[in-house]
């Protein structure tokens, strides 16, 4: 019985929507466009949320980074190896590590390699996993061993493996380990470029590089690009950051010459981006949906006007006012849901096959449910007034008019 | 024990509010129709025929007086109860047919079951039987808009009587038809009446009076005579 009731209602809905195909298409098109924009918006918001979590993991839990001026920037504002030692000496409960990034050519490869000069603590501070071999150790640092640890992406791409001797900038290095750096996948987002490790990166002892990378044989004060500090928990992290600010402050301008990157600052940056995306895509979807809703209301009103006789006929066959109202609500719902599904599918296809968006996107249940809920609400809202009018039509008057 | 009349009007009035004030469409109407009766209603335009029909089919409520259907006061009955009576006991045929033009003949007849709980197969069988009764058994799949006026009206009759009715009310059912088609339609109505359905036929056409056993005449919203025909 329920099946035949649904079937009959479906037939009524289809017949009603066919009455004015042009206006039905216009309303459906506008709603589909809105649903498409809304799906992209939700996917982008979900993507940014996932990205926030991922980038927090990239930085490392209970970890903050201190960034100085970029290479080539104001020399006085660069972090020095001495700063690293100062922090390490005064933060006994925290782990401290530092990285300097240089770009070097590798024979036989067109792309340059990011050579990250660092110490033995980096892998622990950043919370990375070793895939093979070992990370740099105290011996490498103390004896300036030409040992190298490759990222997993680099090892896969260039076929490097543990035990292999590779030429880096015409200097032979022995690959001692391969490490998984989850940040590599986030490289393209440029949301936190200073803490992200590119795919083509390798780590070498910081005691090796000053003699060799871009130094032309002259030893200069050895600058670092980032210092990482990892504490045991959030409270210890705050304390360590306060101490670090005091230690690295200058008499004139405090520690403002440095950038402090924490999970909170990263999340705040992403939140700003999320708000921007929500404002732009949300605006487009809102405008389309308003246009669709107005067209839908006018379509429903026209349908009621065109079907006065049919309404009278239905009433003469025993339909109650609520049955008549339900008919128009079902029509509006049918149209909006069909339009929303079309728009959402178009958006998913676009995200899958179209040009890559400059934002991370992620499709979760809400990305699919959100537009559907929106469509259902819009359909009910747009149909409410016309359905009420239709339900109030006196059957005798309806049949006489017709 | 006397059974209650099928339809009973007691001092029924119907007034409409207009810009110029209240207008009485019907005043002091008293009559009753028995089950299985065939009554014709005539009168000039504005005499209150259509208002009478709307009241008889429970599409409208009287402003004053008592209207009963099978003994039940339907003037004050809630809308759900009136809908139930329209659904199961009362059928209507209109001058302008009111078919769904893009649907098939069979679908139009099945539309009568739209708000009933009849199982689909049962409804389909009843619809086919009603089409046979009106001589349209071979046209079930034809699109309604392609039919002639007489055929459309017979579809409308089939649609009305596809459910077993107590009362069939027809508003100028032959008004748009040629003589031959009109005769076919009247034949259908008489056949239904013979099977036990009461028929209330509203018409301008004095020639149709002879088809009924009772004639009611209206003028200026009042019943001017109620005559049983020999």
């Amino acid at each position: 019985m329920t099946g035949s009731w649904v079937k009959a209602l479906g037939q009524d809905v289809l017949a009603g929507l066919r009455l004015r195909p042009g206006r039905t298409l216009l309303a459906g098109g506008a709603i589909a466009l809105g649903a498409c924009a809304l799906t992209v918006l939700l996917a982008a918001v979900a993507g940014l949320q996932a990205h926030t979590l991922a980038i927090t993991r990239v930085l490392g839990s209970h970890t903050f980074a201190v960034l100085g001026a970029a290479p080539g920037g104001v020399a006085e504002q660069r972090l020095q190896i001495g700063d690293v030692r100062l922090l390490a000496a005064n933060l006994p409960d925290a782990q401290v590590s530092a990285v300097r990034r240089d770009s070097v050519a590798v024979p036989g490869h067109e792309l340059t390699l990011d050579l990250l000069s660092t110490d033995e603590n980096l892998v622990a501070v950043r919370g990375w996993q070793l895939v093979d071999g070992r990370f740099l150790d105290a011996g490498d640092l103390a004896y300036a061993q030409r040992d190298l640890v490759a990222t997993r992406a680099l090892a896969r791409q260039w076929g490097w493996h543990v035990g292999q001797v590779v030429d880096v900038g015409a200097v032979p290095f022995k690959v001692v380990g391969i490490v998984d750096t989850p940040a590599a996948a986030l490289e393209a987002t440029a949301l936190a470029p200073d803490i992200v490790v590119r795919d083509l990166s390798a780590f070498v002892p910081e005691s090796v590089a000053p003699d060799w990378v871009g130094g032309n044989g002259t030893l200069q004060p050895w600058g670092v690009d980032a210092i990482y500090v990892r504490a045991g928990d959030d409270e210890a992290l705050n304390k360590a950051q306060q101490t670090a600010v005091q230690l690295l402050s200058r008499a004139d301008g405090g520690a403002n010459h440095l950038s402090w990157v924490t999970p909170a600052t990263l999340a705040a940056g992403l939140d700003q981006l999320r708000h921007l995306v929500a404002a732009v895509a949300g605006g487009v979807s809102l405008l389309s949906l308003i246009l669709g809703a107005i067209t839908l209301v006018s379509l429903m009103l026209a349908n009621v006007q065109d079907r006065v006789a049919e309404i009278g006929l239905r009433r003469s066959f025993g339909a109650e006012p609520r049955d008549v109202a339900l008919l128009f609500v079902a029509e509006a719902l049918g149209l909006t849901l069909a339009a929303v599904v079309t728009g959402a599918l178009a958006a998913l296809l676009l995200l899958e096959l179209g040009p890559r968006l400059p934002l991370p996107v992620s499709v979760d249940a809400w990305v699919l449910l959100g537009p559907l809920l929106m469509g259902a609400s819009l359909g009910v809202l747009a149909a409410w007034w016309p359905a009420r009018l239709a339900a109030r039509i006196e059957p005798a008057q309806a049949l006489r008019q017709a | 024990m006397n059974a209650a009349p099928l339809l009973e009007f007691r001092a029924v009035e119907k007034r409409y509010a207009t810009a110029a004030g209240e207008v009485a469409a019907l005043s002091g109407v008293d009559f009753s129709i028995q089950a299985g009766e065939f009554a014709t209603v005539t009168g000039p335009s504005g005499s209150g025929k259509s208002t009478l029909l709307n009241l008889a089919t429970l599409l409208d409520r009287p402003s004053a007086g008592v209207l009963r259907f099978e003994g039940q006061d339907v003037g004050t009955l809630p809308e759900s109860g009136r809908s139930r009576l329209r659904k199961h006991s009362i059928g209507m045929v209109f001058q302008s047919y009111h078919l769904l033009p893009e649907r098939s003949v069979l679908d139009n007849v099945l539309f009568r079951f739209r708000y009933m709980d009849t199982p689909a197969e049962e409804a389909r069988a009843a619809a086919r039987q009603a089409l046979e009764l009106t001589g349209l058994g071979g046209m079930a799949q034809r699109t309604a808009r392609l039919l002639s006026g007489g055929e459309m009206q017979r579809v409308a009759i089939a649609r009305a009587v596809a459910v077993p009715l107590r009362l069939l009310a027809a508003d100028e059912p032959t008004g748009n038809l040629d003589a031959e088609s009109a005769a076919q339609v009247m034949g259908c109505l008489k056949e239904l009446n013979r099977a036990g359905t009461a028929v209330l036929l509203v018409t301008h056409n004095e020639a149709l009076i002879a088809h009924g056993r009772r004639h009611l005449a209206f003028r200026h919203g009042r019943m001017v005579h109620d005559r049983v025909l020999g």
Side-chain angles (χ1 to χ4, degrees):
Chain A
M1 206 72 76
T2 307
S4 60
W5 182 85
V6 170
K7 188 180 168 194
L9 186 63
Q11 282 177 341
D12 285 346
V13 167
L14 278 180
L17 294 178
R18 280 196 200 122
L19 267 182
R20 289 174 178 263
R23 206 175 285 204
T24 301
L25 277 177
L26 186 66
I31 294 166
L33 190 66
C36 184
L38 187 65
T39 306
V40 172
L41 163 72
L42 291 176
V45 168
L48 283 169
Q49 270 167 345
H51 198 78
T52 305
L53 287 174
I55 214 154
T56 304
R57 279 197 300 271
V58 165
L59 179 59
S61 54
H62 312 311
T63 302
F64 69 84
V66 192
L67 309 175
V74 182
E76 291 75 26
Q77 293 183 356
R78 291 209 70 186
L79 287 164
Q80 305 298 321
I81 197 72
D83 295 328
V84 185
R85 287 171 187 147
L86 184 65
L87 289 183
N90 288 279
L91 296 171
D93 298 330
Q95 289 177 293
V96 179
S97 181
V99 166
R100 172 182 167 130
R101 189 191 303 253
D102 290 285
S103 192
V104 295
V106 176
H109 297 285
E110 280 182 16
L111 298 172
T112 57
L113 177 72
D114 266 9
L115 197 66
L116 303 169
S117 310
T118 187
D119 50 56
E120 72 275 29
N121 296 326
L122 186 67
V123 74
V125 171
R126 302 291 302 263
W128 293 335
Q129 297 290 317
L130 273 169
V131 177
D132 197 7
R134 62 170 176 85
F135 198 69
L136 305 171
D137 60 19
D140 293 324
L141 274 291
Y143 300 109
Q145 291 288 341
R146 288 187 173 168
D147 287 345
L148 174 149
V149 176
T151 63
R152 177 146 78 167
L154 171 67
R156 192 185 304 127
Q157 222 165 312
W158 286 3
W160 288 6
H161 54 82
V162 173
Q164 185 179 356
V165 175
V166 295
D167 276 349
V168 177
V171 177
F173 276 84
K174 184 181 178 188
V175 180
V176 295
I178 293 169
V179 67
D180 196 8
T181 55
L186 304 172
E187 175 205 346
T189 65
L191 285 166
D194 296 319
I195 63 162
V196 169
V197 174
R198 283 203 314 132
D199 278 349
L200 297 182
S201 297
F203 303 90
V204 295
E206 49 100 351
S207 52
V208 175
D211 297 335
W212 154 70
V213 178
N216 296 326
T218 54
L219 281 172
Q220 295 184 354
W222 182 239
V224 297
D225 296 322
I227 302 174
Y228 296 93
V229 178
R230 183 188 181 109
D233 53 34
D234 285 343
E235 198 185 331
L237 183 71
N238 284 339
K239 233 176 194 173
Q241 193 180 350
Q242 284 169 10
T243 307
V245 168
Q246 284 172 355
L247 290 170
L248 299 180
S249 289
R250 292 177 178 170
D252 50 352
N256 291 337
H257 61 294
L258 303 171
S259 303
W260 300 81
V261 181
T262 64
T265 60
L266 286 175
L270 287 166
D271 272 349
Q272 275 184 340
L273 189 57
R274 199 161 59 203
H275 289 145
L276 182 70
V277 171
V280 174
V284 171
S285 45
L286 189 68
L287 279 177
S288 303
L289 293 174
I290 288 173
L291 175 66
I294 291 170
T295 321
L296 187 59
V297 171
S298 90
L299 172 75
M300 288 293 120
L301 283 174
N303 274 359
V304 170
Q305 216 161 22
D306 285 351
R307 296 163 73 184
V308 169
E310 186 191 318
I311 291 167
L313 193 66
R314 287 174 185 272
R315 294 294 305 278
S316 79
F317 291 162
E320 291 186 41
R322 65 170 180 217
D323 296 317
V324 175
L326 176 68
L327 175 70
F328 289 94
V329 171
E331 269 183 35
L333 262 181
L335 176 61
T336 48
L337 290 181
V340 161
V341 168
T342 307
L345 282 178
L348 294 178
L349 271 177
L350 198 73
L351 291 174
E352 189 65 31
L353 306 174
R356 191 177 168 190
L357 290 179
L359 287 170
V361 289
S362 167
V363 178
D364 59 18
W366 278 111
V367 173
L368 303 172
L369 275 179
L372 276 179
L373 288 177
M374 180 277 300
S377 315
L378 188 73
V380 172
L381 278 178
W384 185 79
W385 180 39
R388 204 171 136 89
L389 286 179
R392 283 182 170 183
I393 290 175
E394 285 297 326
Q397 200 182 355
L399 291 165
R400 194 164 48 240
Q401 269 181 6
Chain B
M1 195 176 74
N2 284 337
L6 177 69
L7 188 64
E8 191 179 2
F9 282 68
R10 287 290 162 254
V12 167
E13 290 187 19
K14 181 64 190 178
R15 294 185 293 272
Y16 293 109
T18 67
E22 207 167 62
V23 172
L26 279 181
S27 300
V29 176
D30 270 296
F31 73 92
S32 48
I33 301 277
Q34 300 301 320
E37 205 168 3
F38 193 135
T40 55
V41 178
T42 61
S45 295
S47 60
K49 302 187 303 291
S50 294
T51 305
L52 178 85
L53 205 72
N54 289 336
L55 292 171
T57 52
L58 315 191
L59 291 174
D60 213 345
R61 292 175 190 268
S63 308
V66 176
L67 176 61
R68 293 195 183 94
F69 189 88
E70 294 186 317
Q72 185 178 17
D73 184 350
V74 289
T76 54
L77 194 64
E79 189 50 42
S80 57
R82 293 159 60 84
S83 293
R84 196 167 52 246
L85 284 174
R86 286 199 299 269
K87 201 184 292 186
H88 295 289
S89 303
I90 300 171
M92 282 194 80
V93 175
F94 311 93
Q95 182 176 3
S96 47
Y97 326 128
H98 291 327
L99 297 185
L100 304 173
E102 298 305 324
R103 298 205 194 175
S104 72
V105 166
L106 182 64
D107 280 349
N108 267 279
V109 180
L110 284 171
F111 195 50
R112 180 68 178 87
F113 296 90
R114 176 64 181 82
Y115 297 99
M116 299 176 74
D117 294 332
T118 315
E121 276 315 303
E122 206 176 298
R124 197 167 276 271
R128 287 194 179 279
Q129 197 178 354
L131 284 172
E132 291 293 339
L133 186 76
T134 53
L136 296 170
M139 293 189 175
Q141 298 309 325
R142 290 271 290 275
T143 304
R145 68 178 159 76
L146 301 176
L147 302 178
S148 69
E151 288 166 342
M152 285 190 187
Q153 194 57 288
R154 282 190 284 152
V155 174
I157 294 173
R159 181 181 62 188
V161 303
V163 295
L165 296 178
R166 306 287 291 139
L167 172 69
L168 175 66
D171 188 5
E172 300 282 9
T174 59
N176 290 338
L177 304 180
D178 58 41
E180 191 184 340
S181 298
Q184 284 176 328
V185 166
M186 287 311 297
C188 287
L189 294 182
K190 287 175 82 171
E191 186 60 37
L192 284 166
N193 180 241
R194 268 196 289 277
T197 304
V199 176
L200 187 63
L201 171 68
V202 168
T203 180
H204 272 107
N205 189 347
E206 301 275 331
L208 299 182
I209 295 171
H211 288 282
R213 286 198 299 273
R214 174 118 173 258
H215 174 224
L216 309 171
F218 280 76
R219 190 174 291 271
H220 303 308
R222 291 184 175 278
M223 192 166 71
V224 292
H225 81 234
D226 176 358
R227 194 174 50 174
V228 176
L229 304 176

